[in-house]
Amino acid sequence: MGVLRDHPELALFLCLATGYLVGKLRVGPITLGGICGTLIVSLLLGAWAKITISDDVKTIFFALFIFSLGYMAGPQFFANLNKKSLRFFTLCIIEVVCVVGIALGLAKAFDLDVGTAAGILAGAATESAVVGTATESIGKLTNLTQAQITEYQGHVATAYTVCYLFGLITIVIYTSQIMPMMMRINLRDASRELWEKMRGGGGGLEDDEREALPGMVGRTFLVTRADGQKVSELELANGRRVTVEAVKRGSKVLTPPPPDFELTLSDLVLMVGRRSNIIAAGRDVGPETPAIPGLDTPLATTQVSLTDKAVEGKSLDKLTTEHPEISGGGVYVTDVLRNDQHLPATPETVVHRGDVLTLVGSRSGLGKLASKVGAVVKNDATDFVYLGFGIVVGSLIGQIVVRFGSVPMSLGTGGGCLISGLLFGWFRSRKQTFGAFPPQAATTIKDLGLAVFIACTGLVSGPQAGPLLKEYGALLPFAGIAMVLVPATISLVVGRRLLNIEKPILIGAIAGQQCSTPAITSVTQVAQSSVPMLGYTITYTLSNFLLPLTGPLLVGILGA
């Protein structure tokens, strides 16, 4: 124990390793996750060893976490501030109003201190960032002694741990099991039907299935029925859904053939496109042949971030119509990446600025399209100049204090870095030639920053855990369950009766308004489809901005 006190870095990383090990334990569909596991271990170790860690360590790592969170969500946050996403924004407002209202009500009814109330809000809403913003705000209250500040900050972590556990279990079971029964649907069948509708038929895949044949194919055909037809006419007859990449006539190969090239009997034609379109086009050309040596052309793959204002809110089908380089120019969209979520690349999928499209096609076609709709993603190394200035700006924003009557309101370093992260991430998405912060690097820093902050909080707060649990032991589980069920049920009713959101997407959106990754994981497993993810990505992005701000709001009201 003396070694841990003398070398707190040992205790810190011991909490990380052991906490993430505890977080892997699974009971049915429920796993605690590494963050909750780390907090449990650090509280126990802190209560036993009474380890001291500098507050500066918490501040630095929380700033890294919250800036990375905002940076990743920035493009989609601003893209979702439009009329089409207003109905999903309504769900997030319901979440914020309910959790703040319930926390205030419990604080008044049971005479809770500001730390316990903030911890209940953070845990029940399963939003770890609130722990940081609330803890920081408590530290700035001028009407408390240093001893009270330390005690109340400890209460935040303890109340968060208990409420998080019950809130997590509740949201997972409620969204994946109970909500489908309340709406009288089979989530798997409903998701598959909606998927078929979105992609115009074809059926969805099971969670453990993959396409037996690739979506993008190149096939060769012997010309028997397209005699005398020009290459451009053949492509136009098939709605420019296929492209003729090469033609072999005798020993001569044209790659690519000119648009006015006229096909003749016995020509060998290489066509590229989606499998269903290639099969349909082949009927107009002639019989398919085996692969012909020398009649092949490589296809390049690149990722392009959409930065052009004209693409905002348009479907992939509309984008294809407006840009002949897509399909007609031999370029095909095979994946849509929004934040760190992959969306189905169906004709009906709506794209926003900041989305990253994976394009497959001829190298020349890729270059032309990328220059028109966005910029080729360059994420090979982190731009620490951009990252550093972003955190500096966030820290400065956090120092601003605004008074509402006698209530001082300050975002603190956490809230300031969240706003700067959103702005810097959005600005980067407009022209991805600077400010690189690779997704894997951003995710690693985000997760490490939060884990270290939580471990520090737990180690310092351990001694206060026991007395708080004895005083409010029965209240905390009740609060965790109630603060999930109330906003989720209201959102379910409003989403169906007033907003008319499709049922599978609504379930995903409710998991997103709660910022619950375990919940959407369980929902997609039950649905055996990624369709609920379409609602989750919107509300998850919005709530990730709104919920952390509830910490300073609640502390400001109760602390006054």
Side-chain angles (χ1 to χ4, degrees), residues 16-26 31-34 36-38 40-41:
L16 292 183
T18 310
Y20 270 79
L21 185 62
V22 171
K24 291 179 180 293
L25 299 178
R26 177 180 294 275
T31 55
L32 290 178
C36 188
T38 297
I40 291 174
V41 172

Side-chain angles (χ1 to χ4, degrees), residues 237-446:
N238 289 277
R240 296 192 180 277
R241 301 292 184 184
V242 301
T243 53
V244 177
E245 293 291 339
V247 175
K248 184 175 183 181
R249 179 173 293 173
S251 60
K252 185 178 181 181
V253 177
L254 294 176
T255 308
D260 59 351
F261 184 81
E262 191 172 291
L263 301 176
T264 188
L265 291 172
S266 299
D267 281 350
L268 293 170
V269 178
L270 169 65
M271 293 194 299
V272 173
R274 295 192 181 277
R275 187 173 60 255
S276 58
N277 297 325
I278 288 292
I279 292 174
R283 300 190 185 101
D284 299 327
V285 178
E288 184 177 356
T289 67
I292 306 298
L295 187 61
D296 197 0
T297 183
L299 296 178
T301 300
T302 190
Q303 286 189 315
V304 173
S305 174
L306 298 179
T307 60
D308 183 18
K309 293 181 180 179
V311 306
E312 174 63 34
K314 292 183 178 178
S315 66
L316 288 179
D317 188 57
K318 181 72 172 176
L319 204 63
T320 301
T321 302
E322 294 183 352
H323 293 277
E325 294 87 352
I326 303 180
S327 296
V331 178
Y332 300 87
V333 182
T334 60
D335 183 57
V336 179
L337 181 64
R338 183 170 298 163
N339 294 334
D340 56 350
Q341 305 294 343
H342 292 272
L343 304 181
T346 66
E348 291 77 16
T349 298
V350 175
V351 296
H352 300 288
R353 295 178 71 186
D355 285 351
V356 176
L357 305 185
T358 300
L359 305 178
V360 176
S362 62
R363 198 172 298 278
S364 60
L366 290 176
K368 292 178 182 178
L369 180 62
S371 63
K372 289 187 176 182
V373 301
V376 175
V377 175
K378 296 180 180 180
N379 262 337
D380 51 346
T382 299
D383 185 345
F384 284 101
V385 175
Y386 195 70
L387 177 64
F389 276 118
I391 296 178
V392 168
V393 171
S395 298
L396 292 175
I397 293 174
Q399 306 311 311
I400 300 173
V401 178
V402 178
R403 290 187 173 273
F404 294 92
S406 61
V407 180
M409 293 294 296
S410 172
L411 292 175
T413 300
C417 285
L418 175 61
I419 291 178
S420 70
L422 289 169
L423 292 172
F424 274 63
W426 167 76
F427 192 65
R428 147 76 175 172
S429 71
R430 294 171 63 85
K431 190 70 173 178
Q432 299 208 22
T433 56
F434 62 90
F437 197 10
Q440 289 184 331
T443 300
T444 299
I445 290 180
K446 176 175 71 71

Side-chain angles (χ1 to χ4, degrees), residues 219-258:
R219 292 186 177 180
T220 57
F221 297 89
L222 177 67
V223 175
T224 59
R225 291 186 285 274
D227 181 30
Q229 194 171 23
K230 294 180 180 179
V231 168
S232 59
E233 294 173 343
L234 176 60
E235 293 177 343
L236 185 60
N238 289 277
R240 296 192 180 277
R241 301 292 184 184
V242 301
T243 53
V244 177
E245 293 291 339
V247 175
K248 184 175 183 181
R249 179 173 293 173
S251 60
K252 185 178 181 181
V253 177
L254 294 176
T255 308

Side-chain angles (χ1 to χ4, degrees), residues 75 89 118 135 141 168 210 217 228 283 338 361 368 402 453 526:
F89 187 75
T135 299
L141 292 177
L168 174 65
R210 296 294 181 270
V217 298
R283 300 190 185 101
R338 183 170 298 163
K368 292 178 182 178
V402 178
F453 169 79
V526 173

Side-chain angles (χ1 to χ4, degrees), residues 2-218:
V3 175
L4 295 179
R5 286 177 179 171
D6 295 338
H7 300 278
E9 70 276 9
L10 295 179
L12 181 62
F13 287 101
L14 178 62
C15 289
L16 292 183
T18 310
Y20 270 79
L21 185 62
V22 171
K24 291 179 180 293
L25 299 178
R26 177 180 294 275
V27 179
I30 307 296
T31 55
L32 290 178
I35 298 302
C36 188
T38 297
L39 186 51
I40 291 174
V41 172
S42 61
L43 282 171
L44 294 174
L45 185 60
W48 173 61
K50 295 180 174 58
I51 298 168
T52 301
I53 293 182
S54 171
D55 288 340
D56 293 338
V57 177
K58 293 196 299 181
T59 301
I60 291 171
F61 277 93
F62 187 71
L64 288 172
F65 154 69
I66 205 74
F67 179 83
S68 302
L69 177 67
Y71 183 97
M72 296 171 68
Q76 293 312 314
F77 174 78
F78 288 101
N80 289 327
L81 297 180
N82 54 54
K83 293 181 180 180
K84 291 185 178 180
S85 299
L86 183 61
R87 56 181 184 167
F88 292 101
F89 187 75
T90 302
L91 301 183
C92 297
I93 294 299
I94 291 173
E95 176 74 21
V96 169
V97 171
C98 285
V99 296
V100 173
I102 294 174
L104 287 173
L106 291 174
K108 298 298 182 182
F110 295 93
D111 196 25
L112 302 179
D113 63 79
V114 62
T116 303
I120 288 175
L121 189 155
T126 62
E127 178 52 82
S128 305
V130 179
V131 177
T133 56
T135 299
E136 187 177 30
S137 297
I138 291 174
K140 294 184 177 182
L141 292 177
T142 57
N143 58 343
L144 299 179
T145 65
Q146 186 57 48
Q148 287 176 314
I149 289 175
T150 301
E151 179 184 359
Y152 293 163
Q153 287 177 334
H155 290 177
V156 174
T158 304
Y160 166 83
T161 304
V162 178
C163 290
Y164 179 89
L165 177 60
F166 284 90
L168 174 65
I169 294 173
T170 303
I171 190 63
V172 169
I173 295 177
Y174 196 42
T175 53
S176 64
Q177 306 295 329
I178 299 177
M179 280 188 180
M181 290 190 293
M182 293 174 65
M183 291 190 286
R184 299 178 182 178
I185 61 170
N186 181 297
L187 186 56
R188 174 181 171 184
D189 293 342
S191 298
R192 183 179 287 265
E193 290 173 4
L194 184 57
W195 172 261
E196 292 175 0
K197 178 182 177 181
M198 292 172 59
R199 61 182 296 178
L205 295 174
E206 302 289 348
D207 187 57
D208 59 349
E209 292 178 340
R210 296 294 181 270
E211 292 179 339
L213 297 174
M216 283 289 302
V217 298

